[in-house]
Amino acid sequence: WSPELSSDLYRIDGWGAPYFTVNSSGDISVRPHGTDTLPHQEIDLLKVVKKASDPIKTGGLGLQLPLVVRFPDVLKNRLESLQSAFDYAVQSEGYEAHYQGVYPVKCNQDRFVVEDIVKFGSGFRFGLEAGSKPELLLAMSSLCKGSSEGLLVCNGFKDAEYISLALVARKLQLNTVIVLEQEEELDLVIDISRKMAVQPVIGLRAKLRTKHSGHFGSTSGEKGKFGLTTTQILRVVRKLKESGMLDCLQLLHFHIGSQIPSTELLADGVGEAAQVYSELVRLGAGMKFIDIGGGLGIDYDGTKSSDSDVSVGYGLQDYASTVVQAVRFVCDRKNVKHPVICSESGRAIVSHHSVLIFEAVSSTTTRSQELSSMSLHSFVEKLNDDARADYRNLSAAAIRGEYDTCMLYADQLKQRCVDQFKDGNLDMEQLAAVDAVCDFVSKAIGAS
């Protein structure tokens, strides 16, 4: 056995790169600065856990498992990588505005996480997104120490107290945007802002026709739960115009869904949103920002597949370039000034930066039954013609040493036997016997 085999077995270079790897000792090693990590900066996770869990009298911290180990430098690197990807896309595409992200605090509300993001992101105008009153208070407290240009995006259901709090944030010189998710919220915003003598900055969430069909896309599409339809958007614009507040409408927000699987779907959604943005400009709104929501996916299993709910078929730079290209194409065609691009990436920022360590208290092993030649003969006799043919083909392939073919016929044999069992034509002992045959084949092939 070797560290290289461990790395291959757990596919760590697929899901963990560039932050996790297997070191020469065979332990998980953390690279806090990603690809820029120097050899002496790597952190052996086993040593960290040993230091944390060893008794105090032997120099440890005396902590009990489970533990959450955080790596703030990984968080910093993720923020910088996201910003760099968009900066490169803006420059290479000749885009005439900039990118500034916001972190949705619902993704991880830990105080240290939020404060680190504000601190690390202040140099490039990184802000926060809140979806409830407690989150808004948390975001206000944190952003007081952040960039004055960082956005405080107020999403979620809004009652009078929420809107009043958001307007107080604006009085505190925070760059606050109240995003309308329901049409009736507009009346509250107009009424309360006049009472408080605060000029609000308003955004609206559009319910796009583009739909993310995966596990995380249930809130997307025109029948999704959140956002305003085309008809509702037009009514909001008309009411703002009648109130003399159309210049307050400055941001368009949408959300296709988390874990967007492909750049094709992303380009489709962003392109549709850019059309809506351009129409709002045409109608006289004071538009400045397009907020593409979340959706930047994480390759959890390392397969780089766009057909999986736990993987994505693109990288960080692909994502940024797709977004910038889609917005620029529509705005140039409509002769509209390029908006500031904003995104609400949560999992893509924080997923790699913490590790849960827990103790394995037991293990399960699978032991197949032993098959004698007599019981094997009895097993074969009970098979139907198709299953018996699979067994003969399996035997012939084994004699020829064609191991891939062996596995193919073993899988077919098992499936036919399962079907026979479901139909009541095979008993439980026979079903266990086919498991034993297939396990024996698998182990024999693995050993060779």
Side-chain angles (χ1 to χ4, degrees), residues 125-140:
R125 299 171 282 215
F126 220 85
L128 298 174
E129 181 267 350
S132 65
K133 282 176 276 190
E135 288 180 3
L136 179 53
L137 285 166
L138 185 159
M140 288 169 64

Side-chain angles (χ1 to χ4, degrees), residues 295-335:
L296 172 54
I298 292 292
D299 190 1
Y300 288 106
D301 63 5
T303 60
K304 293 183 170 52
S305 168
S306 58
D307 299 321
S308 169
D309 287 335
V310 292
S311 184
V312 290
Y314 56 85
L316 201 55
Q317 191 58 62
D318 300 323
Y319 175 87
S321 296
T322 299
V323 170
V324 173
Q325 286 171 9
V327 177
R328 182 185 64 80
F329 177 77
V330 173
C331 290
D332 286 353
R333 194 171 61 182
K334 294 278 189 176
N335 199 27

Side-chain angles (χ1 to χ4, degrees), residues 95-201:
Y95 194 79
E96 294 172 0
H98 64 269
Y99 164 82
Q100 58 183 93
V102 300
Y103 169 69
V105 297
K106 67 184 177 187
C107 190
N108 187 327
Q109 297 140 328
D110 187 288
R111 171 188 167 186
F112 299 107
V113 173
V114 177
E115 288 181 349
D116 278 348
I117 287 172
V118 170
K119 178 175 69 175
F120 298 145
S122 62
F124 30 83
R125 299 171 282 215
F126 220 85
L128 298 174
E129 181 267 350
S132 65
K133 282 176 276 190
E135 288 180 3
L136 179 53
L137 285 166
L138 185 159
M140 288 169 64
S141 172
S142 300
L143 274 180
C144 285
K145 302 170 186 174
S147 167
S148 60
E149 295 181 70
L151 291 171
L152 173 52
V153 177
C154 301
N155 287 329
F157 174 76
K158 299 168 195 69
D159 58 10
E161 192 175 10
Y162 185 126
I163 291 168
S164 298
L165 194 57
L167 292 170
V168 167
R170 188 130 197 100
K171 274 191 171 183
L172 293 172
Q173 304 300 309
L174 294 175
N175 196 5
T176 312
V177 182
I178 301 172
V179 178
L180 306 177
E181 304 226 18
Q182 299 183 47
E183 191 177 355
E184 55 267 27
E185 293 171 353
L186 178 60
D187 292 328
L188 279 173
V189 172
I190 292 173
D191 182 49
I192 296 171
S193 64
R194 284 174 175 168
K195 287 178 181 177
M196 293 179 64
V198 178
Q199 181 86 333
V201 172

Side-chain angles (χ1 to χ4, degrees), residues 4 8 16 52-53 81 109 118 149 167 176 205 240 251 255 294 308 334 349 382 433 439:
E4 290 75 19
D8 289 341
S53 58
S81 298
Q109 297 140 328
V118 170
E149 295 181 70
L167 292 170
T176 312
R205 178 169 177 171
L240 283 170
L251 180 144
H255 180 62
S308 169
K334 294 278 189 176
I349 291 174
K382 284 199 174 186
D439 285 348

Side-chain angles (χ1 to χ4, degrees), residues 425-437:
N425 298 322
L426 207 68
D427 57 37
M428 192 172 283
E429 289 85 356
Q430 294 294 311
L431 192 62
V434 74
D435 286 337
V437 170

Side-chain angles (χ1 to χ4, degrees), residues 20 23 27-30 42-56 58-71 354-360:
F20 299 94
N23 62 24
D27 301 333
I28 288 182
S29 186
V30 181
E42 289 192 13
I43 301 167
D44 189 317
L45 192 55
L46 186 62
K47 291 180 180 178
V48 173
V49 175
K50 186 169 173 30
K51 176 72 174 177
S53 58
D54 276 355
I56 295 174
T58 61
L61 300 178
L63 301 176
Q64 288 187 323
L65 298 177
L67 296 170
V68 174
V69 183
R70 292 183 56 244
F71 298 94
S354 64
V355 180
L356 173 65
I357 310 292
F358 57 91
E359 191 172 11

